[in-house]
């Protein structure tokens, strides 16, 4: 069985793009693998959140993951800072991470351009902390996008370097978990590309029906197809892609046929897309609202995750300490 680990940045609410891009697969994957999902709150300190923001961001991510169907009885969902062993492994791995390679990391170069007045050591060693997250459970699969490819490569470098230094094939080489065909890219409502928080083109799982209707009805369309079976421009194709994800196949076909016959009324298409997003979102949204207020349940989930993650992490740390040569007197 594979040990799969995913770290989740605690920034903002989840949108349809997050759900269909990764979360849907996580929910499925948890039954077939030994899965760890954690909220990367240590990592988030690189940008200095306020104490109140930090806690709320962590809570919000956990709530939304649970509402989407991550089952805390099956997978291990935990808060990174609850597992102090991660910080110890980070320290140990840092002894073997070279300044040069950390400075050459693309994400580091990018972030120092973005926040030149806060170039802290935590940013420089972000890849070491990420390696510690992965190696602490000896995970062999990590479901990450292309943007994290270099970080994963560095994790392999650190793991191999440790193994060579101590002449011990201890850490496995983690590779990206590939969902293959199943990855669905959800475009933004503005037709400009991917749905994203910073792009301002997203429908959030927590959006109310009124907000969803407003957002969808505002989406820019064109004057309609003029020839049968014409290919769809981005600002129309996006509505169809969203429809494909949330609507019934018959509904999709109905509107697709109308488009191909040059008979489509975009007002009707948008109304249908909005209502189908609402139907899709409603059960998730209700769960989000219920879980947010259920502090007893949340407390139980978080402490259960902590216990399971700590069991796995403390075993690794104990073995790593032995390999390194720490001995008790
Ligand atoms: N760096 C990841 C991101 O920005 C988050 C992350 C932290 C992560 N630690 C991880 C992802 C370990 C996978 C494994 O999205």
């Amino acid at each position: 069985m594979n040990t799969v680990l995913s770290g989740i940045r605690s920034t903002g609410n989840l949108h349809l793009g997050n759900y269909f891009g990764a979360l849907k697969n996580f929910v499925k994957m948890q039954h077939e693998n030994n899965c760890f999902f954690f909220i990367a709150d240590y990592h988030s300190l690189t940008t200095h959140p306020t104490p109140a923001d930090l806690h709320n961001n962590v809570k919000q991510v956990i709530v939304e993951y649970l509402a989407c169907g991550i089952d805390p009885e099956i997978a291990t969902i935990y808060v990174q800072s609850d597992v102090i062993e991660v910080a110890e492994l980070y320290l140990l791995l840092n002894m073997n991470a070279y300044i040069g390679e950390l400075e050459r990391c693309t994400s580091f170069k990018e972030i120092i351009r973005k926040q030149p007045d806060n170039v802290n050591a935590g940013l420089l060693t972000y890849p070491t902390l990420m390696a510690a997250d992965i190696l602490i459970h000896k995970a062999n699969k990590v479901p990450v996008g292309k943007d994290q490819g270099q970080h994963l490569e560095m994790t392999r470098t650190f793991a191999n370097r440790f193994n060579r230094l101590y002449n011990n094939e201890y850490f496995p080489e983690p590779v990206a978990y590939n969902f293959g065909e199943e990855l669905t890219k959800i475009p933004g409502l503005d037709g400009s590309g991917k749905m994203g928080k910073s792009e301002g083109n997203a429908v959030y799982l927590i959006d109310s029906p009124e907000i969803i209707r407003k957002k969808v009805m505002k989406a820019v369309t064109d004057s309609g197809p003029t020839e049968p079976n014409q290919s769809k421009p981005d600002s129309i194709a996006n509505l169809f892609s969203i429809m494909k994800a949330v609507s019934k196949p018959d509904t999709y076909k109905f509107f697709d046929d109308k488009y191909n016959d040059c008979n489509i009324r975009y007002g009707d298409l948008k109304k249908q897309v909005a209502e189908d997003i609402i139907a899709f979102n409603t059960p998730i949204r209700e769960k989000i609202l219920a879980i947010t207020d259920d502090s007893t349940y949340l407390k139980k989930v978080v402490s259960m995750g902590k216990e399971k993650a700590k069991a796995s992490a403390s075993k690794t740390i104990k073995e790593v300490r032995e390999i390194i040569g720490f001995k008790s007197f």
Side-chain angles (χ1 to χ4, degrees):
M1 203 204 270
N2 287 313
T3 298
V4 180
L5 172 125
S6 181
I8 306 144
R9 257 178 294 182
S10 48
T11 48
N13 293 99
L14 296 175
H15 51 66
L16 288 176
N18 299 131
Y19 182 84
F20 288 102
L23 207 46
K24 195 173 161 217
N25 291 305
F26 286 2
V27 172
K28 232 167 65 188
M29 179 170 86
Q30 65 185 340
H31 302 283
E32 299 143 18
N33 300 284
N34 181 23
C35 285
F36 291 92
F37 301 108
F38 73 93
I39 322 301
D41 61 344
Y42 278 145
H43 274 114
S44 76
L45 298 183
T46 52
T47 55
H48 301 171
T50 68
D53 282 347
L54 179 67
H55 179 74
N56 283 331
N57 291 344
V58 171
K59 177 178 167 182
Q60 187 192 317
V61 176
I62 294 181
V63 165
E64 296 199 354
Y65 267 68
L66 293 170
C68 286
I70 298 293
D71 184 341
E73 303 277 352
I74 296 173
T76 301
I77 179 160
Y78 66 99
V79 180
Q80 187 185 29
S81 64
D82 270 348
V83 183
I84 192 77
E85 290 80 358
V86 170
E88 181 169 352
L89 186 59
Y90 164 65
L91 179 150
L92 299 172
L93 291 174
N94 265 331
M95 304 303 168
N96 264 311
Y98 294 102
I99 296 278
E101 65 191 338
L102 294 168
E103 278 174 343
R104 278 193 301 276
C105 184
T106 315
S107 63
F108 179 67
K109 287 196 266 188
E110 229 164 73
I111 200 116
I112 61 178
R113 230 179 302 125
K114 272 195 220 150
Q115 54 178 68
D117 46 359
N118 179 19
V119 184
N120 57 67
L123 282 175
L124 182 68
T125 56
Y126 187 108
T128 336
L129 181 53
M130 182 156 158
D133 293 328
I134 297 167
L135 299 176
I136 198 79
H137 302 300
K138 300 175 84 173
N140 55 337
K141 301 263 176 177
V142 185
V144 285
K146 276 209 182 71
D147 64 321
Q148 298 296 316
Q150 195 179 24
H151 288 152
L152 200 54
E153 183 70 50
M154 291 173 90
T155 301
R156 285 192 288 271
T157 302
F158 298 147
N160 282 326
R161 199 175 280 158
F162 180 93
N163 292 351
R164 259 184 283 122
L165 182 63
Y166 296 107
N167 197 18
N168 188 328
E169 286 304 307
Y170 183 69
F171 288 122
E173 269 201 16
V175 294
Y177 191 108
N178 208 331
F179 295 113
E181 297 290 299
E182 292 163 51
L183 262 192
T184 313
K185 275 208 186 94
I186 297 289
L189 280 177
D190 55 0
S192 72
K194 241 171 94 173
M195 184 175 280
K197 184 184 161 219
S198 44
E199 285 78 7
N201 60 11
V203 178
Y204 294 94
L205 299 175
I206 190 69
D207 280 347
S208 67
E210 300 75 57
I211 292 179
I212 293 170
R213 284 191 196 104
K214 223 183 260 165
K215 283 184 178 175
V216 175
M217 295 319 280
K218 252 189 13 208
V220 177
T221 49
D222 59 18
S223 52
T226 49
E227 284 170 39
N229 304 314
Q230 202 176 307
S231 74
K232 300 181 183 90
D234 289 346
S235 63
I236 304 300
N238 62 346
L239 292 171
F240 275 95
S241 297
I242 295 173
M243 187 171 234
K244 197 160 216 161
V246 297
S247 304
K248 294 203 176 71
D250 285 354
T251 310
Y252 180 87
K253 187 171 181 310
F254 176 83
F255 283 94
D256 194 45
D257 288 347
K258 288 230 169 220
Y259 184 89
N260 288 330
D261 294 345
C262 306
N263 253 326
I264 193 151
R265 288 179 23 199
Y266 288 139
D268 294 346
L269 172 72
K270 287 193 202 173
K271 262 187 214 141
Q272 185 75 44
V273 169
E275 293 316 308
D276 289 347
I277 295 176
I278 292 167
F280 172 81
N281 269 15
T282 298
I284 298 179
R285 181 165 186 268
E286 282 171 359
K287 272 191 216 145
I288 294 175
L289 296 174
I291 296 171
T292 301
D293 292 330
D294 192 347
S295 54
T296 315
Y297 175 66
L298 271 177
K299 209 172 171 159
K300 190 180 136 213
V301 166
V302 171
S303 72
M304 196 161 65
K306 174 177 174 174
E307 198 182 309
K308 285 196 275 179
K310 264 184 108 72
S312 154
S314 56
K315 180 171 182 288
T316 305
I317 277 295
K318 187 169 170 280
E319 291 166 354
V320 164
R321 281 175 150 265
E322 269 166 31
I323 292 170
I324 289 178
F326 288 124
K327 278 198 181 117
S328 48
F329 283 86

